[in-house]
Amino acid sequence: MILLSSSSLCFVLTEETEDFNEKDRDPLLSFKSSLTDSKQSLSNWVSGFNNWTGIICNNQTGRVISIKLTNLNLSGQINPSLCNLLMLETLVLSQNNFSGFIPICFRNLKFLKILDLGYNGFQGNVPLVELVSLPYLKELILKGNLGLGGLIPDNFSVSSLEKIDLSANSFRGVIPESLFYLKSLKYLDLSGNELSGMLNEFYQPLVVLNLASNSLSGTLPCFSASVESLNVLDLSNNSIMGGIPTCISSLSVLVQLNLSFNELKYRVSPRFIFSDQLLVLDLSYNEISGPIPSVISETSDKSGLVLLDLSHNQFSGEIPLGITELKNLQGLILSHNRLSGEIPARIGNLTYLQAIDLSNNWLSGSIPLNIVGCFQLLQLKLNNNNLSGVIQPELDALDSLKIFDISDNRFSGEIPLTLAGCKSLEIVDLSSNNLGGEINEAIVKWVNLKSLSLSGNNFHGALPNWLFSFEQIHSIDLSRNNFSGLIPDGDFNISSSLNHRGLSSNNLRQSSATRDSAIRVTLGLLGKNEMSFGYTLLSPVGIDLSVNSLKGEIPEGLFGLQGVEVLNLSYNFLAGQIPISLVKMWSLTSLDLSHNSLSGQIPTNISGLQELTFLNLSYNCLSGFVPGEHKFWRFPEAFAGNPDLCVEVVSGEGCHKMKSPLPPGEDIFAGDGDGMISVWAFWISAVVSFYVGVVALFCFPPARHYILRPMKSVY
């Protein structure tokens, strides 16, 4: 009788046998002695006779027939003594930390049916010739061992393998020809390797074929032998060329088709219609052109496409109305194409939609009010189009929405107060539109807010006191508006991202090095008919209030945020001194305080900010001496336009006044020798007059306010 515990440990009890066969106990104990068992998962492997974790014996003979030790944090090398278990049929050691080479003596396990060494740290060449020759081997799984590699031998004609998974390794060379003809093969996954060569036709009825993330070339075959069997076809991230043959749509039981990240071109035939079995169709990141077919797949009440991704191609024309008939659609990704016309009014018929991305197209018109029918929507990205109109108050019905991006369009009006109902919002980007008015209380209801961008609009008025009060806020961009008044001196300690609460400076530097200015959304199939949705926020932790009309002193707390990487307060009318608490901003990579009225000395501890790669303090009223030992020579233009500031470029060589640079190409000493004194006198007089005027204007707040007032955005 075999019992399985909830912790995935297998226990051995047989009614007829009270002990292991003596031939098998010693090899197992030798195998255990070579391992590090940090969880003590094999502590019951002693000289006793039952309940050995992960071991199954034959009832009659007592010989070990199965070893399953998955995810037990075992480490070490495989002791060759394991090869003495001559009756072994199943060996599963996946998701551990085994290392070293795969023993060639596995060829002695003549009755082995399943070998799974996936997700370990094995390395070197695999004895595939010996393993493939095992007469009863049905499943060979070596995935997730990045150190495994070499060529795949061409001896599969002697094999009876049904499942081969060598994914996420370092195999190279071409796919052996015998694999294309292996009749027993049903499941083949060679993804994530370094395979090259031409993609050929497979001559057996496959169920799963995954060759993604290699360097395969050629054109798409029809997979005719798999018309009634193939469920999953993933050829993404290769160099496959040509068009998509219509015969691909004849794969009648296909559930997932991924041809993304290839070099596919030309138009898609209108006869390219899949059955309602297809759940995922991903043709993104190719060069496919022409209109989107009016009918992509058949649909029914209980089945049909769940995820459609045609992004990053050259599709043109309008979005076909047929897409609104895909009743089970949960992800519609058509971004980065050349689509025009309006968003279909009937898009609200797709009540299961969770993600819509129509960004970076040529769409016009307004957001159809019918879109509120997509009440399960988590992402709505319409940025970089030619959309117009107002943000409709009825959008508050999308109360599950997490990502809302309508940036770089021509929307006007104010943010509706009703959007307070969208309490799930986390990423909001309304930048580069014609929106205006004051920031209202709707935003404060977005308690999960992580990123807010209102830049490049016509918002005005004072910044609200609650601006920095979001616990999860990651970035705030209110630049290029007409905000006035003071920067609110709120509670800057609320946000864990802005403060990096609980992280050391070393961790800060490590985390900031991998950031990019984007979010990465991941969609996939979860279960049979359900789409998974997730995203990673990759943009730097930052605050940008530049190009406004803010005045007063910079709050001390703003310069104590240890997690902020980018801080831009330039082109305002801020006065006072730079707070010495700036030294606490360990993560700071970019600081721009230029074009303000800041005065006093530059805090010398700025030089201690090791991550700082960009510094701009130009065109202020700063003064004093900056010694060369502080290495500010890294930022040669950072101090221009501060006439009372003296910067020592090289330690011990004296300082240089930070006068404004001359226009490019100008030389005050140009000309011949005649009249040189007169020319010098003229230019000296002009320069002195100019700087006196500059100092008077730039250090006198009312004058600065008039001269440097922000320009309104023009669309």
Side-chain angles (χ1 to χ4, degrees):
M1 176 178 183
I2 301 172
L3 302 176
L4 298 179
S5 79
S6 59
S7 58
S8 301
L9 306 182
C10 299
F11 300 91
V12 182
L13 281 176
T14 63
E15 294 179 356
E16 292 86 358
T17 304
E18 294 186 351
D19 204 353
F20 289 140
N21 189 297
E22 290 295 331
K23 295 180 179 179
D24 291 348
R25 180 190 291 107
D26 291 340
L28 285 173
L29 293 175
S30 297
F31 169 67
K32 176 190 174 183
S33 66
S34 302
L35 303 179
T36 299
D37 182 12
S38 60
K39 292 183 178 180
Q40 296 297 306
S41 301
L42 308 185
S43 59
N44 58 0
W45 282 30
V46 290
S47 58
F49 58 89
N50 57 20
N51 288 358
W52 282 30
T53 300
I55 306 299
I56 296 178
C57 295
N58 181 277
N59 286 347
Q60 283 75 37
T61 65
R63 301 298 298 268
V64 174
I65 59 173
S66 176
I67 301 176
K68 292 185 178 181
L69 303 174
T70 299
N71 195 23
L72 299 179
N73 200 33
L74 302 173
S75 60
Q77 298 187 10
I78 295 181
N79 193 308
S81 64
L82 210 59
C83 301
N84 294 323
L85 302 174
L86 299 180
M87 305 305 294
L88 193 63
E89 298 177 5
T90 299
L91 177 58
V92 179
L93 304 178
S94 59
Q95 301 181 64
N96 284 289
N97 297 307
F98 287 105
S99 58
F101 299 98
I102 297 176
I104 193 171
C105 65
F106 277 175
R107 63 186 176 187
N108 298 333
L109 305 176
K110 300 298 184 180
F111 295 98
L112 197 63
K113 297 178 181 178
I114 298 174
L115 176 61
D116 185 353
L117 306 179
Y119 297 113
N120 279 286
F122 292 111
Q123 57 188 1
N125 292 333
V126 181
L128 281 174
V129 172
E130 291 76 15
L131 294 177
V132 168
S133 300
L134 291 172
Y136 297 104
L137 192 64
K138 301 297 182 184
E139 297 185 13
L140 176 61
I141 304 170
L142 305 177
K143 61 182 176 181
N145 290 276
L146 293 177
L148 288 181
L151 301 175
I152 302 177
D154 194 5
N155 70 322
F156 287 91
S157 57
V158 299
S159 173
S160 60
L161 278 165
E162 298 177 359
K163 179 177 182 177
I164 301 174
D165 191 343
L166 307 181
S167 62
N169 288 302
S170 300
F171 290 101
R172 64 184 188 277
V174 300
I175 299 175
E177 185 177 0
S178 56
L179 264 182
F180 295 104
Y181 295 92
L182 180 57
K183 292 183 178 180
S184 60
L185 190 61
K186 294 180 173 61
Y187 183 113
L188 178 61
D189 191 344
L190 303 178
S191 62
N193 281 284
E194 303 168 12
L195 300 173
S196 57
M198 302 288 287
L199 175 63
N200 297 322
E201 181 71 86
F202 283 82
Y203 293 95
Q204 67 276 81
L206 294 169
V207 176
V208 172
L209 176 61
N210 188 352
L211 304 178
S213 299
N214 282 287
S215 299
L216 302 173
S217 57
T219 58
L220 278 173
C222 285
F223 303 101
S224 302
S226 303
V227 166
E228 298 179 355
S229 62
L230 196 59
N231 290 158
V232 176
L233 177 58
D234 190 346
L235 305 177
S236 61
N237 201 19
N238 280 286
S239 299
I240 301 171
M241 300 177 292
I244 302 177
T246 306
C247 58
I248 289 289
S249 62
S250 65
L251 298 171
S252 59
V253 294
L254 198 61
V255 174
Q256 298 184 47
L257 174 61
N258 191 345
L259 302 178
S260 63
F261 290 95
N262 277 288
E263 299 173 18
L264 298 170
K265 298 182 179 181
Y266 312 123
R267 296 184 171 214
V268 177
S269 169
R271 293 181 296 150
F272 190 77
I273 303 175
F274 287 95
S275 76
D276 62 357
Q277 299 294 310
L278 190 68
L279 301 181
V280 176
L281 175 59
D282 190 348
L283 305 181
S284 62
Y285 290 91
N286 282 287
E287 300 175 30
I288 306 170
S289 58
I292 298 174
S294 57
V295 179
I296 294 177
S297 80
E298 300 171 356
T299 185
S300 64
D301 292 337
K302 296 184 178 180
S303 60
L305 270 178
V306 171
L307 175 58
L308 175 63
D309 190 347
L310 305 180
S311 64
H312 293 86
N313 278 286
Q314 298 174 14
F315 286 109
S316 57
E318 297 186 351
I319 299 174
L321 290 177
I323 285 182
T324 64
E325 301 300 322
L326 300 173
K327 303 292 187 181
N328 297 287
L329 199 62
Q330 297 176 35
L332 176 61
I333 316 298
L334 305 179
S335 66
H336 294 85
N337 280 288
R338 300 172 181 176
L339 300 173
S340 57
E342 298 187 355
I343 301 172
R346 291 189 295 174
I347 196 168
N349 294 350
L350 303 176
T351 56
Y352 292 107
L353 264 181
Q354 297 182 41
I356 298 176
D357 189 351
L358 307 180
S359 63
N360 292 277
N361 280 290
W362 301 340
L363 299 172
S364 57
S366 60
I367 302 176
L369 188 57
N370 180 262
I371 203 169
V372 299
C374 307
F375 60 91
Q376 300 186 55
L377 208 58
L378 301 175
Q379 172 191 268
L380 178 58
K381 284 177 59 69
L382 305 175
N383 54 289
N384 292 89
N385 278 288
N386 197 29
L387 299 169
S388 58
V390 299
I391 301 176
Q392 309 214 16
E394 290 81 1
L395 292 181
D396 69 328
L398 302 177
D399 56 3
S400 297
L401 198 63
K402 293 179 180 291
I403 300 175
F404 182 43
D405 188 349
I406 58 171
S407 61
D408 289 282
N409 280 288
R410 295 190 298 116
F411 290 104
S412 57
E414 299 185 2
I415 300 175
L417 278 169
T418 56
L419 287 194
C422 299
K423 296 180 179 180
S424 300
L425 279 172
E426 298 178 6
I427 312 293
V428 178
D429 193 345
L430 311 180
S431 63
S432 299
N433 280 287
N434 292 321
L435 299 169
E438 297 186 3
I439 296 183
N440 59 46
E441 296 289 327
I443 296 177
V444 78
K445 301 297 183 181
W446 304 339
V447 294
N448 298 314
L449 193 63
K450 296 179 180 177
S451 178
L452 173 66
S453 179
L454 305 179
S455 70
N457 281 288
N458 298 316
F459 292 106
H460 61 267
L463 297 178
N465 292 328
W466 44 257
L467 182 60
F468 302 104
S469 65
F470 300 96
E471 291 186 7
Q472 301 181 54
I473 197 67
H474 181 99
S475 60
I476 298 175
D477 187 355
L478 306 184
S479 63
R480 296 182 295 121
N481 280 287
N482 296 315
F483 291 113
S484 58
L486 306 176
I487 298 176
D489 191 5
D491 187 354
F492 293 101
N493 296 319
I494 293 178
S495 169
S496 57
S497 294
L498 298 183
N499 288 278
H500 267 297
R501 192 169 295 151
L503 293 179
S504 67
S505 58
N506 289 334
N507 288 333
L508 297 178
R509 286 193 284 272
Q510 185 175 7
S511 64
S512 63
T514 59
R515 295 232 172 86
D516 193 9
S517 55
I519 61 172
R520 181 184 297 123
V521 175
T522 54
L523 305 175
L525 198 62
L526 181 67
K528 186 177 181 181
N529 294 315
E530 186 178 351
M531 186 188 75
S532 64
F533 173 87
Y535 74 89
T536 304
L537 186 58
L538 300 173
S539 60
V541 179
I543 298 173
D544 191 346
L545 305 179
S546 63
V547 195
N548 280 288
S549 300
L550 301 172
K551 62 183 181 180
E553 296 187 357
I554 302 173
E556 183 85 16
L558 186 59
F559 277 102
L561 298 175
Q562 300 174 1
V564 170
E565 297 170 326
V566 176
L567 178 60
N568 190 350
L569 304 179
S570 63
Y571 288 94
N572 280 288
F573 307 107
L574 301 170
Q577 298 188 1
I578 301 175
I580 60 174
S581 57
L582 178 61
V583 72
K584 297 179 181 179
M585 304 184 76
W586 299 332
S587 304
L588 200 63
T589 62
S590 175
L591 175 63
D592 192 345
L593 304 179
S594 65
H595 295 273
N596 280 288
S597 297
L598 299 173
S599 58
Q601 297 187 351
I602 297 175
T604 56
N605 52 24
I606 292 181
S607 60
L609 299 175
Q610 299 181 16
E611 298 300 314
L612 196 64
T613 57
F614 177 82
L615 175 66
N616 191 355
L617 304 179
S618 63
Y619 297 98
N620 279 284
C621 302
L622 300 170
S623 59
F625 173 67
V626 180
E629 63 190 26
H630 292 156
K631 301 180 181 179
F632 284 122
W633 50 263
R634 295 181 297 160
F635 314 106
E637 303 298 327
F639 308 105
N642 289 279
D644 293 330
L645 191 64
C646 194
V647 178
E648 186 179 45
V649 178
V650 180
S651 181
E653 293 190 1
C655 66
H656 301 272
K657 288 283 188 176
M658 289 293 103
K659 296 180 178 180
S660 299
L662 290 168
E666 296 283 342
D667 186 353
I668 63 173
F669 299 108
D672 57 16
D674 296 335
M676 181 69 72
I677 296 177
S678 299
V679 173
W680 285 3
F682 170 78
W683 281 111
I684 290 172
S685 175
V687 170
V688 170
S689 300
F690 172 76
Y691 280 111
V692 169
V694 167
V695 172
L697 290 173
F698 279 75
C699 295
F700 184 55
R704 281 181 58 84
H705 189 284
Y706 178 79
I707 294 172
L708 295 182
R709 66 188 186 278
M711 294 183 295
K712 293 184 178 181
S713 302
V714 179
Y715 297 91

